[in-house]
Amino acid sequence: MTEGLATPDGRPTPELERLYGLWSDGGAGALITGNVMVCADHLERPGNVIIDRVPDPDMAARLKRWADAGTRNGNHLWAQISHGGRQTQSNVNRRPKSSSDVRLRVPGGFFARPTPLELSEITDLVERWATAAKAVQDAGFTGVQIHGAHGYLISQFLSPLINQRTDGYGGSLENRARFLLEIVAATRAAVGPSFPISVKLNSADFQKGGFEFSDSLQVVQWLEAASVDLIEISGGTYEQPRFLTLEGIEPVTDQNVAASTAAREAYFVDFGTAMQAHVNIPLMVTGGFRRRDAMEQALQMGATDAIGLARPLCLMTDAPNALLDGAEVLPRYETGLGLIPSWLGWLRRSNLVKTIDGFSGTYWFYQQIWLLGTRGAANETFSVFKAFMIVDGRNRAIQRKRRRSR
């Protein structure tokens, strides 16, 4: 639910308050924010909220207003704390840091080759997660989520394809998970024993030789022992963006988990079912849910303890209330540029066109979130191509303002 509504220097705004007030009124039991970044040089996108130090009085007041708006209906509000690592766009940082110097294989030159983090930098980042968690707790947020999925920095440490380190943070799964477990320990020490901590974790990267389901299961067992309260199951990276469901992406299916049936519709239900047989920690599955009966089935079969909704709320802010009132299905919004005619099939199959087409659909949802925050209402008829151009231009403008102010 990345918002892009912060000030250029990463401070919450009245637009964020309006957005989360709408979502709070919509009936969700818990809202999880978009990426709150622990490093101003490693954003998921321009317009992220940034907490990279103990907040000054203005920042603390802004965080409190955001928390007040996002909990006004009595629901939980958890801040998702993250670091982009090598998935930081070049227009934000031409010298990103990661676990190793393995470059992101996405066409178009959007991402630069990263530099491996020094040990002192890893230690500093662990403390930054704890600092951010304490800051949002003090502001009135009711929990935090550590983002360990989707190819961001923690996921980069977990993946044997990306993490080529030879020190205590590389090699074995135990070493590759050390960064995440140290973050969890530092965060728990900062917020105390009763404050909810969630981890968003890939069920798999869907890449040969990458982070597999057996790895994910072992990490979840370690997280359960480390006092984590909820695991959100997702999957994929920018290279294999299963969480975006890009057209033409062929995931690796050799993960010892059956493919979800069309009736269940959720992307990661089977992973949740398999995981529940081995752990007792509560799980949340997000991705693809639209039908009420599919949600109920997933709960009844024990595949998940909580249902995550994202894209439907980008237009239908009261989707949870609608389901609770008996709605049978939520809208599924079809997006994609569709600019290449069918007779140019070879061009439509190119990786660059697939990437642009997939991200254009995502940018359409970004634009809907921007409309909710700035105007209080979405616009389903908004052109996908227009949204792509507007969001890209807005991101560039925010980044230019960031550079001038630093």
Side-chain angles (χ1 to χ4, degrees):
M1 302 298 275
T2 174
E3 310 97 0
L5 289 170
T7 63
D9 62 346
R11 294 172 183 258
T13 59
E15 289 77 16
L16 273 173
E17 296 166 32
R18 181 181 293 112
L19 174 67
Y20 278 84
L22 287 170
W23 281 336
S24 178
D25 294 342
L31 297 173
I32 303 175
T33 73
N35 291 276
V36 173
M37 312 307 291
V38 299
C39 180
D41 293 327
H42 290 84
L43 306 182
E44 172 263 336
R45 62 180 292 209
N48 287 148
V49 172
I50 304 167
I51 307 177
D52 56 0
R53 60 179 64 88
V54 175
D56 59 33
D58 174 71
M59 182 67 169
R62 288 170 179 263
L63 286 170
K64 184 179 186 305
R65 290 195 295 270
W66 186 17
D68 289 345
T71 58
R72 70 188 186 192
N73 196 41
N75 55 282
H76 275 258
L77 176 64
W78 297 359
Q80 183 186 81
I81 307 175
S82 185
H83 183 294
R86 70 173 191 159
Q87 287 186 175
T88 302
Q89 295 179 25
S90 296
N91 66 344
V92 173
N93 188 349
R94 296 183 184 278
R95 295 183 177 87
K97 297 293 184 74
S98 181
S99 57
S100 302
D101 65 350
V102 179
R103 188 169 188 167
L104 194 67
R105 295 177 301 166
V106 172
F110 300 114
F111 303 94
R113 181 178 295 278
T115 301
L117 285 159
E118 301 288 343
L119 290 176
S120 60
E121 293 174 315
I122 293 174
T123 300
D124 175 65
L125 286 174
V126 169
E127 291 306 315
R128 288 191 188 208
W129 252 276
T131 297
K134 179 60 176 172
V136 297
Q137 181 187 38
D138 291 344
F141 286 73
T142 62
V144 293
Q145 182 178 83
I146 297 166
H147 199 333
H150 296 176
Y152 299 122
L153 183 62
I154 293 174
S155 181
Q156 291 160 31
F157 271 84
L158 290 171
S159 169
L161 277 180
I162 304 168
N163 186 344
Q164 302 295 312
R165 302 180 73 95
T166 57
D167 58 16
Y169 291 92
S172 68
L173 179 60
E174 182 179 12
N175 283 354
R176 287 183 277 118
R178 190 182 308 278
F179 182 46
L180 170 58
L181 293 172
E182 287 181 350
I183 289 170
V184 170
T187 301
R188 178 58 74 201
V191 301
S194 60
F195 194 70
I197 297 176
S198 168
V199 171
K200 188 165 190 167
L201 190 69
N202 276 0
S203 55
D205 290 345
F206 302 101
Q207 293 177 282
K208 288 183 183 287
F211 188 70
E212 298 185 350
F213 177 70
S214 59
D215 298 329
S216 182
L217 178 58
Q218 177 61 76
V219 172
V220 169
Q221 291 171 327
W222 288 335
L223 292 172
E224 183 175 18
S227 80
V228 169
D229 299 287
L230 176 74
I231 301 294
E232 181 181 2
I233 301 173
S234 193
T237 69
Y238 281 13
E239 291 175 331
Q240 284 282 20
R242 185 70 176 268
F243 65 101
L244 296 179
T245 63
L246 301 190
E247 291 294 330
I249 295 295
E250 295 295 335
V252 176
T253 56
D254 184 18
Q255 299 290 344
N256 297 316
V257 178
S260 294
T261 64
R264 290 189 214 148
E265 78 175 10
Y267 308 147
F268 304 109
V269 160
D270 288 313
F271 289 99
T273 302
M275 200 168 280
Q276 291 279 27
H278 301 277
V279 297
N280 294 315
I281 188 170
L283 303 178
M284 179 169 80
V285 172
T286 304
F289 282 114
R290 297 296 183 274
R291 296 184 56 85
R292 177 192 179 94
D293 57 0
M295 300 178 202
E296 291 177 340
Q297 181 184 13
L299 291 166
Q300 292 166 1
M301 68 187 291
T304 184
D305 300 285
I307 300 294
L309 298 175
R311 290 189 172 191
L313 272 70
C314 295
L315 287 93
M316 188 179 181
T317 59
D318 63 345
N321 276 336
L323 291 166
L324 293 171
D325 290 340
E328 293 298 328
V329 64
L330 299 177
R332 185 179 296 276
Y333 304 101
E334 299 298 332
T335 61
L337 282 172
L339 296 178
I340 310 300
S342 58
W343 59 271
L344 286 175
W346 62 271
L347 184 56
R348 298 178 74 175
R349 290 191 295 271
S350 76
N351 287 334
L352 179 58
V353 170
K354 289 178 185 177
T355 299
I356 294 173
D357 191 53
F359 278 99
S360 69
T362 302
Y363 278 21
W364 186 81
F365 286 98
Y366 289 0
Q367 179 64 11
Q368 302 300 336
I369 288 176
W370 185 86
L371 290 170
L372 289 173
T374 58
R375 303 178 185 177
N379 179 2
E380 185 178 348
T381 65
F382 207 94
S383 161
V384 175
F385 180 71
K386 183 178 179 181
F388 179 82
M389 300 302 294
I390 287 175
V391 172
D392 183 67
R394 187 185 303 130
N395 286 347
R396 294 176 185 274
I398 294 171
Q399 190 56 29
R400 286 194 295 270
K401 290 179 182 177
R402 289 187 72 242
R403 290 198 187 99
R404 288 197 296 265
S405 65
R406 298 178 72 178

